Amino acid sequence: MTASSKLDALKGDLPADIWREATPNYLEEPRGRWQGKAAAVLAPRSTEEVALALRACAAHRVAVIPYGGGTGLVGGQLSENFDHGVILSLERMRAIRAMDEDGRSLTVEAGVILADIHATAQKAGLLFPLSLASQGSARIGGLLATNAGGVNVLRYGNARDLVLGIEAVMPDGSIFHGLSPLRKNNTGYDLRHLLIGSEGTLGIITAASLRLFPEPAAQGAALMAVPDPSAALSLLRMTQDVVGEGLSAFELMHRQGFDFLAEVGPDLRQPFDEIPEWCVLIDLGLGVGQDPAALLEGLFARAFEADLVSDGVIAQSMAQRDDFWALRENIPETNRRIGSVSSHDISLPVGLVPQFIADIPARIAQIGEFRHNCFGHMGDGNLHYNIFPMPGKTRADHLAERDVIKRAMHDLVHEMGGSVSAEHGIGRLKVDDLERYGDPAKLAAMRAIKAALDPHGIMNPGAVLRGR
């Protein structure tokens, strides 16, 4: 059977109104690095229609790329060699199925946008803590499929730590009914955690029961200038000692990010008269009767005495706290506007972050002269370390160096016991990296699981594992 006849047969098995043209918005990724292809888009309205679609795709051997909000940065949501496959979008599955205020859980369908989950939880005086720059367009199904991280991992964990149960459709079209909100459930293999982070290669998550938390009674933030990442690490330890579990986020930023803001916008208020070489954004979420501003003032005084900070600004209102976060959350957008030569989402043992930042410039300098923008989640060891052309040049001038830079970066990460994919996943961009740096026993187990659950290799082929 030809590819064209397979698609015709598939179309005959499915409701006409779930078929859509593969328009450009489904075939682009945020950084403009790849242009995808697909024969069509399927947009089912329910779990049952997802199951029907996957049964038909399995029967006709038509490959499927699951699609959430399209915000992924490693090419997991598109393929350049997918002329005869279909994209399956969860965009029409946007129902809030249940709110359990007593059990502090929220059950939602996979197409719900993260910001809408935040708003729903907030109406009940609760918090869903997964937070990232793309939350206005990212959908929860894709975020779970990639085990997204974000800024609050230090306190609340990755996406998988925020999920009580999931519903998913397996590659053969069977439905896994795993939405139980139970906190304890030791009944064999945990398919929830197998599917979370599998990037749509083992099935399609269609709904999830999410953990909710008490909304902090008081929130506060501060920007503090530190001399170097070693001082930032010491300040992190001091903050944890002073604040304890009230520390929600601890973000490290290099001055290059602020320089990029000044160069290409957006136009945001700069908090320092003179931008420091390094600074940290400290965010607190406290209980009733606690004063975040007072805690941060005491922390600053203590850190100043220890020569860990030289300047600081403490938010005096929620609006000012939001302004601080706007600086941090717009760094990725400014990076996109400048155009990176090579971008890296890496993690290291927290204690080794300063050493990595000290060692990597010499390795990159052997390749050429570039600008470095390092920022990220210092509290959990996740850095976004990106390399940019010098002024007057563009990333197109350095295409030959891109892979060499990535190899130098990832080699050092691996030598220091880190990970070359901290929170963005493997997608198609990092398949070679997973094979190069991955543990052989783990890779063998992953291939065996993939072959068992997806014997025809129809689920997101080419993502995570080569050739499947």
Side-chain angles (χ1 to χ4, degrees), residues 58-335:
H60 300 297
R61 305 295 192 265
V62 175
V64 181
I65 293 180
Y67 189 91
T71 61
L73 297 176
V74 290
Q77 75 275 34
L78 55 79
S79 173
E80 296 172 303
N81 304 300
F82 206 63
D83 303 77
H84 306 299
V86 296
I87 292 170
L88 192 147
S89 171
L90 282 302
E91 65 195 81
R92 296 172 77 183
M93 295 183 60
R94 300 190 298 271
I96 305 290
R97 292 191 184 175
M99 163 70 82
D100 181 357
E101 294 185 34
D102 293 327
R104 288 180 175 168
S105 70
L106 178 66
T107 302
V108 300
E109 291 185 338
V112 179
I113 290 172
L114 179 57
D116 293 335
I117 294 174
H118 291 164
T120 301
Q122 191 173 33
K123 287 178 183 176
L126 295 169
L127 170 73
F128 182 63
L130 181 61
S131 180
L132 52 149
S134 61
Q135 60 198 31
S137 53
R139 300 181 188 274
I140 191 64
L143 294 170
L144 299 186
T146 55
N147 187 31
V151 299
N152 290 324
V153 171
L154 173 64
R155 182 169 185 172
Y156 297 102
N158 287 310
R160 72 169 66 253
D161 300 305
L162 306 175
V163 179
L164 296 170
I166 65 168
E167 172 190 88
V169 178
M170 307 306 288
D172 63 357
S174 60
I175 300 174
F176 167 50
H177 300 281
L179 277 178
S180 170
L182 296 175
R183 306 282 170 143
K184 294 182 176 180
N185 183 10
N186 281 327
T187 52
Y189 302 145
D190 195 334
L191 295 185
R192 165 190 52 163
H193 285 308
L194 181 62
L195 290 165
I196 294 171
S198 67
E199 303 187 45
T201 62
L202 302 178
I204 297 179
I205 295 171
T206 52
S209 294
L210 306 173
R211 293 180 64 193
L212 301 180
F213 296 80
E215 196 167 36
Q219 295 176 283
L223 283 166
M224 297 189 188
V226 295
D228 52 43
S230 292
L233 178 61
S234 296
L235 180 59
L236 170 63
R237 295 176 184 139
M238 181 182 288
T239 306
Q240 290 170 322
D241 290 342
V242 170
V243 179
E245 293 185 357
L247 176 61
S248 296
F250 193 97
E251 299 289 295
L252 178 69
M253 293 178 283
H254 185 251
R255 71 164 294 141
Q256 186 65 72
F258 292 87
D259 290 342
F260 281 170
L261 278 168
E263 183 176 342
V264 297
D267 186 17
L268 301 174
R269 181 184 175 189
Q270 298 282 2
F272 297 106
D273 292 333
E274 183 176 343
I275 298 172
E277 190 70 13
W278 292 95
C279 70
V280 295
L281 171 57
I282 303 171
D283 195 80
L284 307 184
L286 305 176
V288 175
Q290 294 181 290
D291 184 346
L295 264 177
L296 289 165
E297 288 168 7
L299 173 66
F300 178 82
R302 183 172 173 178
F304 188 82
E305 285 295 318
D307 293 326
L308 298 180
V309 300
S310 59
D311 195 3
V313 185
I314 296 171
Q316 300 302 309
S317 66
M318 288 299 290
Q320 194 172 16
R321 173 180 175 265
D322 291 343
D323 288 343
F324 291 173
W325 274 109
L327 290 167
R328 165 61 183 85
E329 291 175 346
N330 273 284
I331 291 176
E333 173 60 18
T334 60
N335 286 348

Side-chain angles (χ1 to χ4, degrees), residues 7 20 25 30 74 85 117 131 175 186 193 200 225 245 268 319 349 377 383 393 418 423 430 437 456 458 460:
L7 288 167
R20 296 185 177 182
N25 55 298
V74 290
I117 294 174
S131 180
I175 300 174
N186 281 327
H193 285 308
E245 293 185 357
L268 301 174
H377 320 302
L383 294 178
K393 293 192 174 184
E423 63 178 358
K430 295 185 178 181
Y437 303 109
H456 304 305
I458 66 168
N460 213 358

